[in-house]
Amino acid sequence: MKDDKNISKFKANDQNIIENTELNIWEALIPIFALVAMLAYNIYVFRDDALNGSNQFILLLGAAVAAIVGFKNRVSYKRMLDEVAENVKSTTGALLILLMVGALAGTWLISGIIPTMIYYGLQILNPTIFLAACVIICSIISIATGSSWTTSATVGIALVGIGETLGISVGMTAGAVLSGAYFGDKMSPLSDTTNLAPAMAGGELFSHIKYMSLTTIPTIVITLIAFIVIGLNIDTSGTPQIDDKLQAISSAFNISPWLFIIPIIVIFMIIKKTPPLIALLTGSLLGGVTAIIFQPNIVTSIAGADSLNFQSAYKGVMNALTVDTSVQTSSKELNDLFTAGGMSGMLGTIWLIVCAMVFGGVMDAIGALSRITKSLLKMATTTFGLFASTVASCLALNLTASDQYLALVVPGKMFKRAYEDRGLAPENLSRTLEDSGTVTSVLIPWNTCGAYHSKVLFGYAGATAYIPYAFFSILSPFMTLLFAALSIKIKQLSKAK
């Protein structure tokens, strides 16, 4: 019998959604149960080092289990491989952005841009309100740029550095940074996910944003209150040593307010809808030029040369762009902070994303993702059940497909008709997709978003210390379910529709 005759496929916003009529729900869940069990044991053995390599292989083993289920249900190897290729292809932009973020971090370090941000930030930000200020600053930047990724890679890196010098844990600071970044990502009309959600639900962008604010604003207010309370009770042991750290920074770098011009240019480019990849490449190159002008001694040292000339300048900047770079100061803490891996430092995260896409691609190819979503839909016998099923579907897809776009596209396509049949406006679906799909992606370490942010803010893939403090992402699904349970602002379809 010919393979794949039980398979049907349709496209939604350039994402393939595959249905397999022969696959039952228990077969669809087998790879997930296997993956969760293997990941649990692997994390137990390797702890925080699990995502430095071993979990990547576990994802491939999970894909192998899914492939066996697919073979049993007459899904061809070629179809699975094609879907894996499509999945990996869909991450091309993200992978290139990761490389550019690595390059940008390197040149912004040796140029003194990040040290300058930390230097002035230490003098402005009071430790008591620091975490709340991180949320507000990142919210503003993310709304302006429409990108949590860009916010994390620019302002977020600097704020994490400031927090470390104040004695605040990286996990807390990163949680505050990501809370603000994802609030802005949700509410910005420039965000791709904010445009994708209403497109899948059949709604309008600005109506979606307005309706989404009903659950998003209370969530960010609670988040701010939580960080203010933490700030009032936190032991900022680093505060007495700030003068020493300021001296260490100013001795190692030529600190100048003029260095803020480069981040402003990058943010301005993104606000003007310049593709993030181009903006980050521009920022990386401008950082290299700035390093030659403002920090010639550091460039010469990195190049291993005795004096600055064209060749040593080229070598120093190129090293910062591509490989491990560090700047030594009189402060041990700052020595750990003032390091960057360049583009090579991002390769581990890229490895993780590719392996996650292999698992997601095979799961999609055998029709497992579609089957799980449909099963959840059958359980929705009430309006609250429909909202809860949507949330569960988004969470499951973030966990299994490892991609926030699939977590919006698949449930959006599958649940759209159900919301219409219950007389619910599309804004209900699009808001729920964002409240449970967009923001929770960062809570999954092997999701593209979780892997990206852990790498950018912690310097290595696998850092999960921010998860308990990512209050905005944790609270958002519960807030949307609370509104549904209490029937607060549940918009109905107009009679004209």
Side-chain angles (χ1 to χ4, degrees):
M1 187 175 292
K2 187 178 179 180
D3 287 341
D4 298 340
K5 75 172 190 176
N6 54 306
I7 299 289
S8 63
K9 176 166 71 172
F10 58 91
K11 273 188 171 285
N13 285 63
D14 296 325
Q15 297 279 355
N16 291 325
I17 299 176
I18 296 176
E19 297 180 345
N20 186 340
T21 57
E22 292 193 8
L23 187 77
N24 63 51
I25 181 60
W26 296 111
E27 290 175 322
L29 289 172
I30 286 173
I32 295 177
F33 292 149
L35 179 66
V36 171
M38 289 187 291
L39 286 174
Y41 182 73
N42 198 60
I43 292 171
Y44 170 76
V45 173
F46 286 95
R47 305 296 181 182
D48 285 342
D49 291 331
L51 281 175
N52 287 334
S54 56
N55 267 5
Q56 282 89 326
F57 190 75
I58 294 297
L59 286 166
L60 295 181
L61 289 179
V65 173
I68 293 171
V69 174
F71 291 140
K72 179 180 179 297
N73 286 274
R74 301 173 184 174
V75 181
S76 68
Y77 174 78
K78 182 179 184 302
R79 178 173 291 280
M80 286 187 263
L81 200 61
D82 286 345
E83 283 306 308
V84 168
E86 285 295 320
N87 248 24
V88 174
K89 180 181 177 182
S90 71
T91 65
T92 301
L95 298 181
L96 291 174
I97 287 175
L98 270 172
L99 291 175
M100 283 302 103
V101 167
L104 179 139
T107 59
W108 281 25
L109 169 62
I110 68 167
S111 65
I113 293 173
I114 292 176
T116 295
M117 290 181 178
I118 295 173
Y119 182 85
Y120 287 112
L122 284 171
Q123 301 175 67
I124 296 173
L125 294 175
N126 185 293
T128 303
I129 63 169
F130 173 74
L131 294 172
C134 286
V135 176
I136 295 171
I137 292 169
C138 290
S139 295
I140 294 171
I141 299 300
S142 192
I143 288 174
T145 63
S147 172
S148 61
W149 283 37
T150 303
T151 302
S152 177
T154 52
V155 178
I157 293 174
L159 290 173
V160 166
I162 294 170
E164 278 196 282
T165 61
L166 292 173
I168 299 174
S169 76
V170 178
M172 286 185 184
T173 307
V177 166
L178 293 173
S179 291
Y182 273 85
F183 167 79
D185 194 307
K186 277 183 66 180
M187 299 303 292
S188 173
L190 302 177
S191 168
D192 49 4
T193 55
T194 306
N195 282 272
L196 180 60
M200 295 311 305
E204 298 177 351
L205 173 62
F206 288 101
S207 177
H208 163 65
I209 293 174
K210 180 179 179 181
Y211 193 66
M212 187 167 53
S213 67
L214 296 173
T215 56
T216 304
I217 291 177
T219 304
I220 197 65
V221 169
I222 294 172
T223 298
L224 281 169
I225 292 172
F227 279 117
I228 289 173
V229 171
I230 291 175
L232 291 171
N233 293 277
I234 198 171
D235 179 17
T236 54
S237 59
T239 303
Q241 287 76 42
I242 287 180
D243 289 339
D244 293 340
K245 290 179 173 59
L246 292 177
Q247 178 62 37
I249 295 172
S250 61
S251 297
F253 298 91
N254 292 320
I255 302 299
S256 171
W258 290 106
L259 292 170
F260 284 110
I261 292 176
I262 307 303
I264 291 172
I265 290 174
V266 173
I267 293 171
F268 177 78
M269 290 177 68
I270 295 174
I271 291 174
K272 288 297 183 180
K273 299 183 179 180
T274 303
L277 186 60
I278 296 176
L280 290 171
L281 174 60
T282 302
S284 300
L285 296 176
L286 288 176
V289 173
T290 304
I292 296 171
I293 296 172
F294 282 85
Q295 319 292 342
N297 293 336
I298 292 176
V299 174
T300 302
S301 175
I302 292 173
D306 296 326
S307 61
L308 184 68
N309 51 44
F310 180 81
Q311 182 175 335
S312 61
Y314 173 81
K315 185 176 180 181
V317 171
M318 192 60 70
N319 282 341
L321 288 166
T322 58
V323 297
D324 291 342
T325 303
S326 64
V327 178
Q328 299 297 308
T329 71
S330 58
S331 169
K332 181 180 178 181
E333 294 86 352
L334 292 177
N335 289 341
D336 293 335
L337 177 61
F338 292 152
T339 60
M343 295 171 70
S344 66
M346 293 295 175
L347 296 180
T349 304
I350 291 173
W351 176 23
L352 172 66
I353 290 172
V354 170
C355 291
M357 290 300 99
V358 172
F359 177 74
V362 177
M363 287 288 287
D364 195 14
I366 68 174
L369 300 184
S370 174
R371 176 62 63 192
I372 293 168
T373 303
K374 282 191 170 184
S375 297
L376 288 171
L377 184 56
K378 289 179 181 179
M379 297 167 59
T381 58
T382 64
T383 297
F384 175 77
L386 182 59
F387 279 83
S389 295
T390 307
V391 171
S393 181
C394 290
L395 293 173
L397 281 159
N398 262 330
L399 185 70
T400 58
S402 305
D403 182 77
Q404 68 172 347
Y405 297 105
L406 283 173
L408 298 179
V409 169
V410 176
K413 191 68 179 178
M414 297 300 178
F415 284 83
K416 180 180 177 182
R417 181 63 182 271
Y419 277 76
E420 291 175 352
D421 290 345
R422 291 186 183 275
L424 299 172
E427 287 83 357
N428 293 285
L429 175 56
S430 62
R431 182 178 74 183
T432 307
L433 291 175
E434 289 248 62
D435 282 343
S436 53
T438 298
V439 301
T440 60
S441 58
V442 73
L443 301 177
I444 312 299
W446 55 87
N447 190 287
T448 51
C449 294
Y452 172 86
H453 290 294
S454 67
K455 179 64 181 179
V456 168
L457 296 177
F458 285 79
Y460 61 96
T464 56
Y466 68 85
I467 293 178
Y469 301 101
F471 298 135
F472 181 77
S473 294
I474 294 170
L475 293 172
S476 288
F478 293 103
M479 186 62 71
T480 202
L481 289 176
L482 178 64
F483 271 58
L486 300 178
S487 297
I488 301 173
K489 296 294 183 179
I490 304 300
K491 188 176 182 180
Q492 304 295 312
L493 280 171
S494 64
K495 293 183 178 180
K497 293 186 178 181

